[in-house]
Amino acid sequence: MTTYVNRLGSGGPRTGALPTGTGVAVWALDTTSQVVGGHPVAEALPMLDAAERDRAERLMREGDRRRYLASHVGLRVLIGGYLGLAPAEVALVRETCPCCGGPHGRPAVAGGALQFSLSHSGDVAYFAFAGVPVGVDVEGIPSAAAVADVLHTLHPAETAELTALPEADRPAAMGRVWSRKEAYLKATGTGLALGLAEPYVATVPTPAAVPGWTLTDLPAPPGYAAALALRAPAPAAPAAREPGSV
């Protein structure tokens, strides 16, 4: 599956039709932008809900706070574009956690009209929208020290693949692994609660097959890796046999 990455800028986006089924739309944003989708980031707080405002106000560094606000303005602008709502009218909820049953699972649109995922790293945010559970992740390419720190927390086959690479090639391969894992874990709602060993996603340029899901690497700016996880459609039920048929 090849996925085009749209660019969200200062003007209002042309979102097009609401994604349905396994149709997916992916957008990217420069989170240093002062205006996102026609809305000044400095005036974003009244647009957000209480949970988003609380999170923004708890970020101590001004740069982190500005990036958070920009990405959530972008999220609301895009969801609003697909659903025909003003950004402030978008109602966000949390699904039930699949690990513990608590109210802190995947973020979702109230009513379930659209599935989405948001990821941000450094000065980049990615958004994905679909009619089925979807996860997106963008990651800065890790340092050699960061690769060494997490190398042995991965699937044993991934650890072996990375160890076999020249040291200079490991950060880019680790970026692929990490973004694929995070995209999948966001789509399922489990997050990092169950660790990084499963599923096996491979370090090579083509992601490994994951039953029930489609993993795709996404175009990313230099110094970043990005990936998408989309729940595959359920197999069609076998046709019912006519009475007396063999």
Side-chain angles (χ1 to χ4, degrees), residues 15-129:
T15 51
L18 178 71
T20 58
T22 55
V24 62
V26 178
W27 294 76
L29 169 69
D30 177 351
T31 55
T32 66
S33 302
Q34 300 299 309
V35 179
V36 175
H39 298 270
V41 174
E43 302 171 9
L45 282 178
M47 177 190 306
L48 307 183
D49 63 25
E52 290 169 305
R53 291 195 297 272
D54 178 67
R55 172 62 177 156
E57 290 167 354
R58 286 190 287 110
L59 292 170
M60 302 302 294
R61 289 194 244 180
E62 178 59 29
D64 292 342
R65 185 170 182 268
R66 185 179 66 248
R67 294 182 188 96
Y68 177 87
L69 291 173
S71 63
H72 280 254
V73 170
L75 177 66
R76 287 177 165 274
V77 164
L78 291 168
I79 293 175
Y82 285 118
L83 300 182
L85 299 171
E89 294 174 336
V90 172
L92 301 177
V93 297
R94 285 277 183 175
E95 296 179 347
T96 300
C97 173
C99 296
C100 69
H104 47 256
R106 294 173 63 242
V109 178
L114 180 67
Q115 301 277 337
F116 76 88
S117 181
L118 161 64
S119 175
H120 50 86
S121 177
D123 293 335
V124 179
Y126 272 48
F127 312 85
F129 304 93

